[in-house]
């Protein structure tokens, strides 16, 4: 990647992250009590936030390829090819349990640190430990595969 393209990608990434964090803070998703209230069917405000995000994303995915031949940062429009398997369901269940216990998912946990809620460091520590454990369990050695040595 060229230097100018790398700078453009970095600026776009920082701007998108700042906009995402601002949206999370504005919607109240950085406050665990708001999320827990939603999960207990007491406050449906989060449903409006998710519906709004889904609408914007759906429109962007449908309209952007019609307006531009290539994405703004280069490359090509491609379909995401994810495969579902047993680990996907196990990971999804663990994510849901962690979300229900802590009241935040990764994005709001990081954005919530900016609001001064340092208790979210516990959540981020748990997320990091879970990601590390997943990497260990998904490694070729843990899967029973032989490492190839050159």
């Amino acid at each position: 990647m060229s230097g100018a393209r790398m700078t453009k990608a970095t600026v776009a990434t920082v701007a998108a992250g700042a906009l995402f964090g601002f949206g999370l803070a504005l919607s109240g998703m950085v406050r665990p009590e708001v999320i827990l209230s939603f999960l207990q069917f007491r406050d449906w405000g989060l449903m409006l936030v998710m519906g709004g995000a889904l609408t914007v994303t759906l429109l962007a995915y449908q309209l952007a390829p019609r307006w531009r031949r290539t994405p703004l940062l280069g490359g090509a429009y491609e379909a995401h090819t994810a495969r579902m398997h047993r680990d996907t369901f196990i990971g999804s269940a663990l994510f849901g349990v962690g979300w229900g216990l802590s009241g935040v998912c990764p994005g709001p946990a990081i954005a919530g640190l900016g609001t001064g809620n340092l208790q979210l460091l516990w959540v981020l520590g748990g997320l990091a430990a879970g990601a590390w454990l997943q990497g260990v369990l998904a490694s070729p050695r843990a899967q029973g595969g032989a490492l190839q040595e050159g």
Side-chain angles (χ1 to χ4, degrees), residues 70-118:
T70 61
L72 283 174
L73 298 177
Y77 295 108
E78 299 175 12
H80 181 66
T81 55
R83 294 201 172 112
M84 304 285 279
H85 51 80
R86 180 188 59 130
D87 293 346
T88 306
F89 294 104
I90 294 170
S92 300
L94 289 173
F95 180 88
V97 168
W99 193 34
L101 290 174
S102 67
V104 290
C105 56
I110 294 170
L113 290 176
T115 66
N117 187 352
L118 297 181

Side-chain angles (χ1 to χ4, degrees), residues 85-88 91 129-147:
H85 51 80
R86 180 188 59 130
D87 293 346
T88 306
W132 173 80
L133 182 62
Q134 190 279 334
V136 168
L137 294 175
S139 70
R141 182 173 296 173
Q143 298 291 326
L147 295 176

Side-chain angles (χ1 to χ4, degrees), residues 17 19-20 29 42 51 58 78 84 95 97 137 148 150:
L19 183 62
F20 182 63
M29 289 186 66
R42 293 183 189 164
L58 182 64
E78 299 175 12
M84 304 285 279
F95 180 88
V97 168
L137 294 175
Q148 294 182 355

